[in-house]
């Protein structure tokens, strides 16, 4: 089982949007997907309600959990809940329990996708410590760019200190307003500053059909409108590259 963490401590950058679409994407490609929602806001859990299980993600930190396997392709959600707010101390026992539970599930699933909360706490840290891949959605506001250095410091710090096997898939600009000169300028300076080492080779434009799809709890590429299909095509192109990058790692 590959473990992919979608992470940025900044709120509202598209972590859950991308995480749920990745779950749909991999399930459609025949994979058995485990979706872990470490955010008590539980947006991803709500969107993927059709795939809910009776287990909360919070349980993974406290005791051994037998995650029901999936026989064929599909998605199993371990949902976010208020109990996650109780996981605050950076306790190695919590992290080790989390790691052991994921290890136990590793034969039953092909990929785990972990959606994280917009804070840099122990749940975030645990995800990065056990993960093999991390993808960091960013937005292109001026203030957001200031936060990117901190984000990179955290990811690189975890890799050096706890998890040398963590592959950084890159910062992925999301909600790019293609006609905004300011955003294009910010994107250009990001490319100059971080280059191909830290920047993912692709962007996700701002598309209103993405919000509509989430409201319907469906992947954007499944909505019948032309605009949605186009947005879906853009998103899948990015995911194809991401999947190839994971295969190559
Ligand atoms: N590419 C996009 N085009 C249009 N809307 C988008 C896009 N990506 C995300 N959104 C919208 O932006 C909002 C925030 O996205 P999302 O909830 O995925 O962010 P998040 O990083 O998970 O937030 P939080 O940190 O609060 O968990 C949502 O309303 C979502 O529908
Ligand atoms: Mg979210």
């Amino acid at each position: 089982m590959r473990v992919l963490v979608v992470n940025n401590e900044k709120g509202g950058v598209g972590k859950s949007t991308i995480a749920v679409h990745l779950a749909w994407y991999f399930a459609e490609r025949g994979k058995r997907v485990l979706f872990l929602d470490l955010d008590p806001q539980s947006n991803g859990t709500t969107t993927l309600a059709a795939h809910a299980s009776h287990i909360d993600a919070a349980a993974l930190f406290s005791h051994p959990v037998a995650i029901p396997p999936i026989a064929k392709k599909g998605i199993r959600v371990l949902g976010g809940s208020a109990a996650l707010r109780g996981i605050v101390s950076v306790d190695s026992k919590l992290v080790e329990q989390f790691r052991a539970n994921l290890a136990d599930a590793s034969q039953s699933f092909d990929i785990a996708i972990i959606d994280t909360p917009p804070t840099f706490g122990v749940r975030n840290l645990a995800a990065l410590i056990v993960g093999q891949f991390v993808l960091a959605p960013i937005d292109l506001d001026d203030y957001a760019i200031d936060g990117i250095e901190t984000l990179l410091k955290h990811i690189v710090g975890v890799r050096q200190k706890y998890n040398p096997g963590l592959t950084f898939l890159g910062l992925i600009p999301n909600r790019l307003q293609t006609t905004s000169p300011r955003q294009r300028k910010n994107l250009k300076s990001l490319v100059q500053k971080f280059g191909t080492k830290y920047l993912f080779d692709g962007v996700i434009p701002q598309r209103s059909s993405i919000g509509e799809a989430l409201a319907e709890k469906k992947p954007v590429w499944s909505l019948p409108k032309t605009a949605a299909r186009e947005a879906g095509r853009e998103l899948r192109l990015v995911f194809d590259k991401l999947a190839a990058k994971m295969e190559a790692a």
Side-chain angles (χ1 to χ4, degrees), residues 17-127:
T17 301
I18 291 170
V20 300
H21 275 92
L22 279 169
W24 283 317
Y25 171 86
F26 282 113
E28 285 178 12
R29 285 173 47 133
K31 307 288 186 206
R32 299 164 301 167
V33 180
L34 179 61
F35 185 91
L36 305 182
D37 190 348
L38 298 188
D39 185 356
Q41 294 179 107
S42 310
N43 297 333
T45 306
T46 306
T47 307
L48 295 176
H51 309 279
S53 73
H54 60 283
I55 302 169
D56 282 349
L60 299 177
F61 292 89
S62 63
H63 56 266
V65 175
I67 302 171
I70 294 181
K72 280 197 217 139
K73 66 177 182 176
I75 305 171
R76 173 90 68 226
V77 175
L78 269 52
S81 62
L84 286 164
R85 295 188 204 279
I87 303 165
V88 286
S89 64
V90 184
D91 177 342
S92 61
K93 267 195 216 134
L94 293 179
V95 178
E96 285 318 310
Q97 185 63 76
F98 183 61
R99 188 200 299 281
N101 278 319
L102 283 192
D104 285 348
S106 67
Q107 296 306 311
S108 318
F109 295 90
D110 301 301
I111 182 163
I113 293 165
I114 308 186
D115 189 13
T116 59
T119 47
F120 198 77
V122 64
R123 282 169 274 133
N124 237 303
L125 192 59

Side-chain angles (χ1 to χ4, degrees), residues 8 22 32 34 70 118 147 156 161 194 237:
N8 183 344
L22 279 169
R32 299 164 301 167
L34 179 61
I70 294 181
V156 172
K161 235 173 144 176
F194 298 111
L237 275 177

Side-chain angles (χ1 to χ4, degrees), residues 55-238:
I55 302 169
D56 282 349
L60 299 177
F61 292 89
S62 63
H63 56 266
V65 175
I67 302 171
I70 294 181
K72 280 197 217 139
K73 66 177 182 176
I75 305 171
R76 173 90 68 226
V77 175
L78 269 52
S81 62
L84 286 164
R85 295 188 204 279
I87 303 165
V88 286
S89 64
V90 184
D91 177 342
S92 61
K93 267 195 216 134
L94 293 179
V95 178
E96 285 318 310
Q97 185 63 76
F98 183 61
R99 188 200 299 281
N101 278 319
L102 283 192
D104 285 348
S106 67
Q107 296 306 311
S108 318
F109 295 90
D110 301 301
I111 182 163
I113 293 165
I114 308 186
D115 189 13
T116 59
T119 47
F120 198 77
V122 64
R123 282 169 274 133
N124 237 303
L125 192 59
L128 293 177
I129 290 175
V130 306
Q132 287 159 323
F133 299 96
V134 54
L135 178 71
I138 54 171
D139 68 38
L140 292 163
D141 290 345
D142 294 323
Y143 295 123
I145 287 185
D146 294 342
I148 289 171
E149 298 215 326
T150 316
L151 170 70
L152 281 177
K153 245 184 237 159
H154 278 150
I155 291 174
V156 172
V158 170
R159 193 167 57 192
Q160 282 171 353
K161 235 173 144 176
Y162 305 106
N163 185 4
L166 183 65
T167 299
F168 184 45
L169 294 170
L171 303 161
I172 173 132
N174 181 32
R175 305 189 75 160
L176 173 69
Q177 291 159 26
T178 45
T179 54
S180 155
R182 190 174 53 85
Q183 288 223 344
R184 298 200 74 88
K185 185 171 141 265
N186 282 348
L187 181 60
K188 216 172 149 190
S189 61
L190 267 186
V191 174
Q192 276 162 2
K193 188 156 190 188
F194 298 111
T196 49
K197 183 160 178 217
Y198 291 118
L199 213 54
F200 186 82
D201 175 27
V203 296
I204 304 173
Q206 162 99 24
R207 298 289 181 230
S208 55
S209 36
I210 290 184
E212 291 159 20
L214 292 176
E216 290 197 36
K217 303 183 173 151
K218 287 181 184 152
V220 66
W221 52 77
S222 75
L223 299 194
K225 292 196 322 183
T226 309
R229 275 203 297 269
E230 177 57 21
R233 200 186 59 82
E234 291 166 346
L235 198 53
R236 275 168 150 165
L237 275 177
V238 166

